[in-house]
Short mmCIF file of all heavy atoms in Angstrom, two decimals:
data_model
loop_
_atom_site.label_atom_id
_atom_site.label_comp_id
_atom_site.label_asym_id
_atom_site.label_seq_id
_atom_site.Cartn_x
_atom_site.Cartn_y
_atom_site.Cartn_z
N ARG A 67 8.87 -32.03 -236.85
CA ARG A 67 9.59 -30.70 -236.88
C ARG A 67 10.52 -30.61 -238.08
O ARG A 67 10.62 -29.52 -238.71
CB ARG A 67 10.30 -30.46 -235.53
CG ARG A 67 9.44 -30.13 -234.36
CD ARG A 67 10.23 -29.56 -233.18
NE ARG A 67 9.31 -28.91 -232.23
CZ ARG A 67 9.65 -27.88 -231.57
NH1 ARG A 67 10.90 -27.33 -231.65
NH2 ARG A 67 8.79 -27.34 -230.66
N GLU A 68 11.22 -31.65 -238.37
CA GLU A 68 12.14 -31.67 -239.47
C GLU A 68 11.38 -31.49 -240.81
O GLU A 68 11.79 -30.76 -241.70
CB GLU A 68 12.98 -33.00 -239.52
CG GLU A 68 14.00 -33.09 -238.47
CD GLU A 68 14.67 -34.46 -238.41
OE1 GLU A 68 14.37 -35.23 -239.37
OE2 GLU A 68 15.42 -34.73 -237.48
N THR A 69 10.22 -32.15 -240.89
CA THR A 69 9.42 -32.05 -242.11
C THR A 69 8.77 -30.71 -242.25
O THR A 69 8.80 -30.06 -243.36
CB THR A 69 8.32 -33.16 -242.05
OG1 THR A 69 8.93 -34.41 -242.04
CG2 THR A 69 7.44 -33.04 -243.34
N TYR A 70 8.34 -30.09 -241.13
CA TYR A 70 7.78 -28.73 -241.23
C TYR A 70 8.89 -27.74 -241.67
O TYR A 70 8.62 -26.89 -242.56
CB TYR A 70 7.28 -28.28 -239.80
CG TYR A 70 5.81 -28.59 -239.64
CD1 TYR A 70 5.23 -29.81 -239.87
CD2 TYR A 70 4.95 -27.63 -239.11
CE1 TYR A 70 3.91 -30.10 -239.70
CE2 TYR A 70 3.60 -27.83 -238.91
CZ TYR A 70 3.09 -29.13 -239.22
OH TYR A 70 1.75 -29.37 -239.00
N THR A 71 10.09 -27.92 -241.19
CA THR A 71 11.21 -27.08 -241.59
C THR A 71 11.43 -27.21 -243.10
O THR A 71 11.72 -26.30 -243.81
CB THR A 71 12.45 -27.38 -240.80
OG1 THR A 71 12.18 -27.15 -239.42
CG2 THR A 71 13.58 -26.54 -241.21
N ALA A 72 11.36 -28.49 -243.56
CA ALA A 72 11.65 -28.75 -244.95
C ALA A 72 10.70 -28.00 -245.98
O ALA A 72 11.05 -27.75 -247.05
CB ALA A 72 11.61 -30.26 -245.26
N PHE A 73 9.40 -27.80 -245.50
CA PHE A 73 8.50 -27.06 -246.43
C PHE A 73 8.35 -25.57 -246.03
O PHE A 73 7.47 -24.89 -246.56
CB PHE A 73 7.14 -27.77 -246.60
CG PHE A 73 6.30 -27.89 -245.47
CD1 PHE A 73 5.54 -26.74 -245.04
CD2 PHE A 73 6.09 -29.06 -244.77
CE1 PHE A 73 4.59 -26.83 -243.95
CE2 PHE A 73 5.23 -29.17 -243.63
CZ PHE A 73 4.46 -28.05 -243.27
N GLY A 74 9.26 -25.11 -245.18
CA GLY A 74 9.37 -23.71 -244.95
C GLY A 74 8.60 -23.11 -243.75
O GLY A 74 8.50 -21.90 -243.54
N SER A 75 8.07 -24.04 -242.90
CA SER A 75 7.36 -23.56 -241.70
C SER A 75 8.27 -23.67 -240.52
O SER A 75 9.25 -24.42 -240.48
CB SER A 75 6.13 -24.42 -241.37
OG SER A 75 5.13 -24.17 -242.37
N LYS A 76 8.01 -22.78 -239.51
CA LYS A 76 8.86 -22.75 -238.29
C LYS A 76 8.16 -23.60 -237.26
O LYS A 76 7.11 -23.22 -236.71
CB LYS A 76 9.03 -21.33 -237.79
CG LYS A 76 9.85 -20.44 -238.74
CD LYS A 76 10.01 -19.06 -238.20
CE LYS A 76 10.88 -18.25 -239.14
NZ LYS A 76 11.03 -16.84 -238.65
N PRO A 77 8.66 -24.84 -236.94
CA PRO A 77 7.94 -25.79 -236.10
C PRO A 77 7.76 -25.30 -234.69
O PRO A 77 6.89 -25.81 -233.97
CB PRO A 77 8.78 -27.05 -236.23
CG PRO A 77 10.10 -26.57 -236.58
CD PRO A 77 9.92 -25.40 -237.48
N SER A 78 8.62 -24.45 -234.21
CA SER A 78 8.41 -23.94 -232.84
C SER A 78 7.27 -22.92 -232.79
O SER A 78 6.78 -22.61 -231.66
CB SER A 78 9.73 -23.30 -232.31
OG SER A 78 10.11 -22.19 -233.13
N ARG A 79 6.87 -22.33 -233.89
CA ARG A 79 5.78 -21.39 -233.94
C ARG A 79 4.49 -22.00 -234.44
O ARG A 79 3.41 -21.65 -233.97
CB ARG A 79 6.10 -20.22 -234.82
CG ARG A 79 7.27 -19.38 -234.29
CD ARG A 79 7.57 -18.21 -235.22
NE ARG A 79 6.41 -17.35 -235.44
CZ ARG A 79 6.37 -16.40 -236.33
NH1 ARG A 79 7.42 -16.19 -237.17
NH2 ARG A 79 5.29 -15.66 -236.46
N THR A 80 4.58 -22.91 -235.40
CA THR A 80 3.41 -23.56 -235.90
C THR A 80 3.60 -25.06 -235.73
O THR A 80 4.10 -25.78 -236.60
CB THR A 80 3.23 -23.25 -237.43
OG1 THR A 80 4.44 -23.54 -238.16
CG2 THR A 80 2.87 -21.73 -237.59
N ARG A 81 3.26 -25.57 -234.60
CA ARG A 81 3.46 -26.91 -234.19
C ARG A 81 2.50 -27.82 -234.89
O ARG A 81 1.32 -27.44 -235.13
CB ARG A 81 3.40 -27.12 -232.67
CG ARG A 81 4.44 -26.40 -231.88
CD ARG A 81 4.22 -26.58 -230.35
NE ARG A 81 5.30 -25.95 -229.61
CZ ARG A 81 5.26 -24.67 -229.21
NH1 ARG A 81 4.22 -23.92 -229.58
NH2 ARG A 81 6.23 -24.14 -228.51
N ASN A 82 2.88 -29.04 -235.22
CA ASN A 82 1.94 -30.05 -235.72
C ASN A 82 0.84 -30.24 -234.59
O ASN A 82 1.11 -29.96 -233.42
CB ASN A 82 2.59 -31.33 -236.10
CG ASN A 82 3.03 -32.19 -234.89
OD1 ASN A 82 2.23 -32.92 -234.33
ND2 ASN A 82 4.28 -32.13 -234.55
N SER A 83 -0.29 -30.75 -235.00
CA SER A 83 -1.45 -30.77 -234.05
C SER A 83 -1.21 -31.65 -232.87
O SER A 83 -1.61 -31.31 -231.73
CB SER A 83 -2.69 -31.29 -234.79
OG SER A 83 -2.52 -32.57 -235.25
N ALA A 84 -0.43 -32.70 -233.04
CA ALA A 84 -0.14 -33.60 -231.88
C ALA A 84 0.78 -32.94 -230.85
O ALA A 84 0.47 -33.02 -229.65
CB ALA A 84 0.46 -34.94 -232.34
N GLU A 85 1.77 -32.25 -231.33
CA GLU A 85 2.64 -31.61 -230.40
C GLU A 85 1.97 -30.43 -229.65
O GLU A 85 2.15 -30.29 -228.44
CB GLU A 85 3.90 -31.02 -231.11
CG GLU A 85 4.94 -30.42 -230.19
CD GLU A 85 6.14 -29.78 -230.83
OE1 GLU A 85 6.46 -30.24 -231.97
OE2 GLU A 85 6.73 -28.83 -230.31
N ALA A 86 1.10 -29.72 -230.43
CA ALA A 86 0.39 -28.63 -229.79
C ALA A 86 -0.56 -29.12 -228.69
O ALA A 86 -0.57 -28.61 -227.61
CB ALA A 86 -0.36 -27.83 -230.85
N LEU A 87 -1.26 -30.23 -228.96
CA LEU A 87 -2.12 -30.84 -227.98
C LEU A 87 -1.34 -31.39 -226.76
O LEU A 87 -1.76 -31.22 -225.66
CB LEU A 87 -3.03 -31.91 -228.60
CG LEU A 87 -4.29 -31.52 -229.33
CD1 LEU A 87 -4.90 -32.75 -229.96
CD2 LEU A 87 -5.26 -30.83 -228.45
N ALA A 88 -0.24 -32.04 -227.07
CA ALA A 88 0.56 -32.60 -226.01
C ALA A 88 1.09 -31.52 -225.06
O ALA A 88 1.13 -31.69 -223.84
CB ALA A 88 1.72 -33.43 -226.62
N LYS A 89 1.54 -30.43 -225.64
CA LYS A 89 2.04 -29.35 -224.82
C LYS A 89 1.00 -28.79 -223.92
O LYS A 89 1.23 -28.53 -222.74
CB LYS A 89 2.58 -28.25 -225.78
CG LYS A 89 3.28 -27.10 -225.05
CD LYS A 89 3.81 -26.08 -226.11
CE LYS A 89 4.35 -24.82 -225.41
NZ LYS A 89 5.55 -25.17 -224.61
N ARG A 90 -0.27 -28.75 -224.45
CA ARG A 90 -1.29 -28.24 -223.63
C ARG A 90 -1.72 -29.27 -222.58
O ARG A 90 -2.05 -28.91 -221.49
CB ARG A 90 -2.49 -27.88 -224.53
CG ARG A 90 -3.71 -27.29 -223.75
CD ARG A 90 -4.64 -26.48 -224.60
NE ARG A 90 -5.71 -25.97 -223.79
CZ ARG A 90 -6.66 -25.15 -224.25
NH1 ARG A 90 -6.67 -24.83 -225.49
NH2 ARG A 90 -7.61 -24.80 -223.47
N ALA A 91 -1.71 -30.54 -222.95
CA ALA A 91 -2.07 -31.58 -221.97
C ALA A 91 -1.19 -31.61 -220.76
O ALA A 91 -1.64 -31.93 -219.65
CB ALA A 91 -2.03 -32.92 -222.68
N LEU A 92 0.10 -31.25 -220.97
CA LEU A 92 1.04 -31.26 -219.88
C LEU A 92 1.10 -29.94 -219.10
O LEU A 92 1.84 -29.85 -218.10
CB LEU A 92 2.46 -31.57 -220.46
CG LEU A 92 2.58 -32.96 -221.09
CD1 LEU A 92 3.96 -33.07 -221.73
CD2 LEU A 92 2.35 -34.09 -220.08
N SER A 93 0.39 -28.96 -219.57
CA SER A 93 0.37 -27.62 -218.96
C SER A 93 -0.76 -27.53 -217.90
O SER A 93 -1.63 -28.48 -217.86
CB SER A 93 0.20 -26.54 -219.98
OG SER A 93 -1.07 -26.47 -220.46
N GLY A 94 -0.83 -26.43 -217.21
CA GLY A 94 -1.93 -26.19 -216.23
C GLY A 94 -3.22 -26.02 -216.97
O GLY A 94 -4.28 -26.32 -216.38
N ALA A 95 -3.23 -25.63 -218.23
CA ALA A 95 -4.47 -25.37 -218.97
C ALA A 95 -5.21 -26.71 -219.19
O ALA A 95 -6.39 -26.72 -219.23
CB ALA A 95 -4.18 -24.65 -220.27
N GLY A 96 -4.47 -27.74 -219.47
CA GLY A 96 -5.17 -29.01 -219.77
C GLY A 96 -5.73 -29.02 -221.16
O GLY A 96 -5.63 -28.02 -221.89
N LEU A 97 -6.29 -30.13 -221.53
CA LEU A 97 -6.84 -30.31 -222.88
C LEU A 97 -8.21 -29.66 -223.02
O LEU A 97 -9.06 -29.66 -222.10
CB LEU A 97 -7.00 -31.75 -223.20
CG LEU A 97 -5.69 -32.50 -223.41
CD1 LEU A 97 -5.87 -34.04 -223.45
CD2 LEU A 97 -5.04 -32.06 -224.75
N PRO A 98 -8.50 -29.03 -224.18
CA PRO A 98 -9.86 -28.37 -224.34
C PRO A 98 -10.86 -29.45 -224.54
O PRO A 98 -10.63 -30.60 -224.93
CB PRO A 98 -9.61 -27.61 -225.65
CG PRO A 98 -8.56 -28.40 -226.41
CD PRO A 98 -7.63 -28.87 -225.34
N ARG A 99 -12.08 -29.12 -224.17
CA ARG A 99 -13.27 -29.93 -224.44
C ARG A 99 -14.05 -29.21 -225.55
O ARG A 99 -14.49 -28.12 -225.38
CB ARG A 99 -14.06 -30.08 -223.17
CG ARG A 99 -13.72 -31.19 -222.22
CD ARG A 99 -12.30 -31.10 -221.66
NE ARG A 99 -12.12 -32.15 -220.59
CZ ARG A 99 -10.94 -32.46 -220.13
NH1 ARG A 99 -9.82 -31.90 -220.61
NH2 ARG A 99 -10.88 -33.44 -219.18
N ILE A 100 -14.25 -29.91 -226.70
CA ILE A 100 -14.84 -29.23 -227.85
C ILE A 100 -16.25 -29.79 -228.09
O ILE A 100 -17.22 -29.11 -227.93
CB ILE A 100 -13.94 -29.44 -229.10
CG1 ILE A 100 -12.54 -29.05 -228.84
CG2 ILE A 100 -14.55 -28.71 -230.32
CD1 ILE A 100 -12.33 -27.56 -228.58
N ASN A 101 -16.32 -31.01 -228.46
CA ASN A 101 -17.53 -31.77 -228.54
C ASN A 101 -17.15 -33.23 -228.49
O ASN A 101 -15.97 -33.60 -228.55
CB ASN A 101 -18.40 -31.44 -229.80
CG ASN A 101 -17.72 -31.64 -231.11
OD1 ASN A 101 -17.22 -32.79 -231.39
ND2 ASN A 101 -17.65 -30.66 -231.98
N LEU A 102 -18.13 -34.15 -228.40
CA LEU A 102 -17.78 -35.56 -228.16
C LEU A 102 -16.83 -36.12 -229.17
O LEU A 102 -15.86 -36.75 -228.85
CB LEU A 102 -19.05 -36.39 -228.03
CG LEU A 102 -18.87 -37.93 -227.77
CD1 LEU A 102 -18.05 -38.12 -226.47
CD2 LEU A 102 -20.17 -38.63 -227.73
N LEU A 103 -17.14 -36.01 -230.50
CA LEU A 103 -16.28 -36.65 -231.50
C LEU A 103 -14.89 -36.02 -231.54
O LEU A 103 -13.90 -36.78 -231.63
CB LEU A 103 -16.97 -36.42 -232.90
CG LEU A 103 -18.26 -37.27 -233.16
CD1 LEU A 103 -18.78 -36.94 -234.58
CD2 LEU A 103 -17.97 -38.76 -233.02
N VAL A 104 -14.81 -34.71 -231.36
CA VAL A 104 -13.48 -34.11 -231.33
C VAL A 104 -12.69 -34.54 -230.08
O VAL A 104 -11.50 -34.85 -230.15
CB VAL A 104 -13.59 -32.54 -231.40
CG1 VAL A 104 -12.20 -31.93 -231.22
CG2 VAL A 104 -14.21 -32.14 -232.71
N ASP A 105 -13.36 -34.62 -229.00
CA ASP A 105 -12.70 -35.12 -227.76
C ASP A 105 -12.20 -36.50 -227.89
O ASP A 105 -11.09 -36.82 -227.45
CB ASP A 105 -13.70 -35.07 -226.55
CG ASP A 105 -14.11 -33.66 -226.21
OD1 ASP A 105 -13.46 -32.71 -226.68
OD2 ASP A 105 -15.01 -33.55 -225.39
N LEU A 106 -12.93 -37.35 -228.61
CA LEU A 106 -12.48 -38.77 -228.82
C LEU A 106 -11.24 -38.78 -229.65
O LEU A 106 -10.25 -39.47 -229.23
CB LEU A 106 -13.59 -39.60 -229.51
CG LEU A 106 -14.89 -39.81 -228.79
CD1 LEU A 106 -15.81 -40.73 -229.58
CD2 LEU A 106 -14.65 -40.45 -227.37
N TYR A 107 -11.18 -38.09 -230.76
CA TYR A 107 -9.94 -38.17 -231.55
C TYR A 107 -8.80 -37.39 -230.95
O TYR A 107 -7.63 -37.77 -231.12
CB TYR A 107 -10.26 -37.84 -233.06
CG TYR A 107 -10.37 -36.42 -233.48
CD1 TYR A 107 -9.24 -35.54 -233.54
CD2 TYR A 107 -11.53 -35.94 -234.03
CE1 TYR A 107 -9.37 -34.24 -233.99
CE2 TYR A 107 -11.66 -34.63 -234.53
CZ TYR A 107 -10.58 -33.83 -234.52
OH TYR A 107 -10.68 -32.53 -235.02
N ASN A 108 -9.09 -36.33 -230.21
CA ASN A 108 -7.99 -35.67 -229.52
C ASN A 108 -7.41 -36.54 -228.41
O ASN A 108 -6.15 -36.56 -228.19
CB ASN A 108 -8.51 -34.38 -228.84
CG ASN A 108 -8.61 -33.21 -229.83
OD1 ASN A 108 -8.04 -33.31 -230.92
ND2 ASN A 108 -9.19 -32.17 -229.38
#
Side-chain angles (χ1 to χ4, degrees):
R67 283 194 167 213
E68 290 174 7
T69 301
Y70 268 49
T71 299
F73 67 78
S75 289
K76 295 181 178 179
S78 60
R79 292 181 57 190
T80 55
R81 297 177 176 87
N82 75 80
S83 64
E85 184 183 333
L87 276 175
K89 185 177 174 65
R90 183 158 179 178
L92 298 173
S93 72
L97 289 166
R99 274 60 172 167
I100 309 297
N101 60 54
L102 180 58
L103 289 177
V104 175
D105 293 350
L106 295 183
Y107 78 69
N108 278 348

